[in-house]
């Protein structure tokens, strides 16, 4: 019986405090974003965190599990916000504006995770453990294409609009912001979204006859 209690105590002690886990995940995300997933070792993450590599295994069982938490956490939050927009009953233009704004907010909150996603998702999506990246991309495409198609049907956007080309343009020009955006900079994510939308929407609004 004493041994049983001792094992239980050891199990409890192996659970990392949430605050420490979040701190280590943030450090790991910075290293993954800067060096790439394949080039990053557990030792490099531990060095950046100022700890021994063996100590990192107290909190996580592998670098793969760390990356999984980083990406799934980012996507879970992104989709919670996207789903709220998509279920709000907004018109197509307002939906597009809200999706763009939420995208820039997520870049602000999860800059390193976005950078990792941009660089690694195509390769990682071929691995069973990260199959959800492909599913998320398909869901993402459906949401944006559906919004653009609604806009064309409602004559909010131009009738001759190539929705797939527009989707790719909007997707790439929004998310590439992760390469230059710096949290706490001169412009808030909302201001950047407003400026971006003012440029994009002038190009897809109906032309005056």
């Amino acid at each position: 019986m004493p041994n049983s209690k001792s094992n239980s105590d050891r199990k409890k002690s192996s659970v990392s405090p949430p605050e420490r886990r979040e701190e280590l995940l943030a450090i790991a995300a910075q290293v993954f974003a800067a060096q790439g997933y394949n080039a990053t070792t557990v030792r490099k993450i531990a060095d950046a965190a100022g700890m021994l590599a063996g100590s990192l295994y107290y909190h996580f069982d592998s670098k793969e599990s760390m990356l999984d938490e980083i990406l799934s956490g980012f996507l879970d939050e992104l989709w919670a916000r996207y789903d709220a927009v998509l279920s709000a009953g907004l018109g197509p233009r307002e939906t597009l504006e809200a999706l763009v704004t939420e995208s820039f907010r997520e870049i602000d909150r999860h800059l390193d995770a976005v950078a990792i996603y941009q660089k690694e998702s195509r390769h990682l999506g071929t691995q069973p453990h990260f199959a959800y990246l492909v599913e998320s991309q398909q869901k993402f495409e459906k949401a944006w294409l559906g919004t653009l198609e609604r806009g064309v049907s409602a004559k909010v956007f131009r009738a001759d609009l190539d929705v797939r080309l527009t989707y790719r343009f909007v997707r790439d020009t929004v998310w590439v912001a992760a390469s230059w955006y710096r949290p706490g900079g001169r412009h808030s994510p909302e201001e950047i979204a407003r400026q971006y939308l003012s440029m994009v929407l002038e190009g897809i609004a109906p032309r005056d006859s």
Side-chain angles (χ1 to χ4, degrees):
M1 293 296 293
N3 285 339
S4 179
K5 184 178 181 198
S6 174
N7 288 339
S8 175
D9 288 343
R10 279 198 294 273
K11 263 186 192 176
K12 289 178 182 176
S13 68
S14 69
V15 177
S16 175
E19 298 81 4
R20 181 55 173 161
R21 285 181 67 84
E22 289 302 313
E23 179 185 359
L24 291 173
L25 285 173
I27 292 170
Q30 291 174 356
V31 179
F32 286 138
Q35 301 187 20
Y37 176 66
N38 288 334
T40 298
T41 62
V42 170
R43 181 178 295 278
K44 286 182 179 179
I45 297 171
D47 288 346
M51 62 196 300
L52 296 174
S55 300
L56 195 60
Y57 287 109
Y58 174 84
H59 304 275
F60 304 95
D61 60 12
S62 66
K63 72 169 188 176
E64 181 184 68
S65 67
M66 298 184 78
L67 184 64
D68 181 30
E69 285 198 44
I70 292 165
L71 291 177
S72 62
F74 154 61
L75 289 174
D76 285 349
E77 183 175 308
L78 176 70
W79 277 108
R81 295 176 182 279
Y82 271 16
D83 287 341
V85 170
L86 295 168
S87 63
L90 302 173
R93 177 172 176 139
E94 291 74 21
T95 298
L96 179 66
E97 291 173 340
L99 289 174
V100 168
T101 300
E102 291 299 344
S103 298
F104 279 110
R105 285 172 177 162
E106 287 304 296
I107 291 171
D108 180 68
R109 294 187 189 99
H110 300 286
L111 182 62
D112 291 319
V114 173
I116 297 166
Y117 183 85
Q118 292 284 85
K119 296 175 186 175
E120 309 281 358
S121 60
R122 180 172 297 182
H123 166 68
L124 291 171
T126 63
Q127 303 177 25
H129 190 72
F130 291 98
Y132 64 85
L133 296 177
V134 177
E135 295 168 5
S136 181
Q137 179 57 43
Q138 292 170 344
K139 185 179 176 184
F140 186 89
E141 182 174 322
K142 182 179 178 181
W144 287 77
L145 284 176
T147 300
L148 291 167
E149 288 166 353
R150 279 202 301 130
V152 172
S153 296
K155 298 183 180 179
V156 175
F157 303 146
R158 289 193 341 234
D160 64 340
L161 193 70
D162 184 322
V163 293
R164 187 163 293 275
L165 184 60
T166 303
Y167 154 68
R168 289 172 177 164
F169 170 78
V170 171
R171 176 196 65 192
D172 293 348
T173 53
V174 167
W175 293 105
V176 78
S179 66
W180 55 261
Y181 179 78
R182 293 296 175 267
R186 179 180 174 186
H187 299 294
S188 69
E190 291 80 11
E191 173 61 16
I192 293 173
R194 188 185 70 78
Q195 293 281 351
Y196 175 86
L197 285 163
S198 71
M199 291 183 283
V200 170
L201 290 173
E202 288 304 313
I204 64 176
R207 294 191 181 100
D208 293 333
S209 54

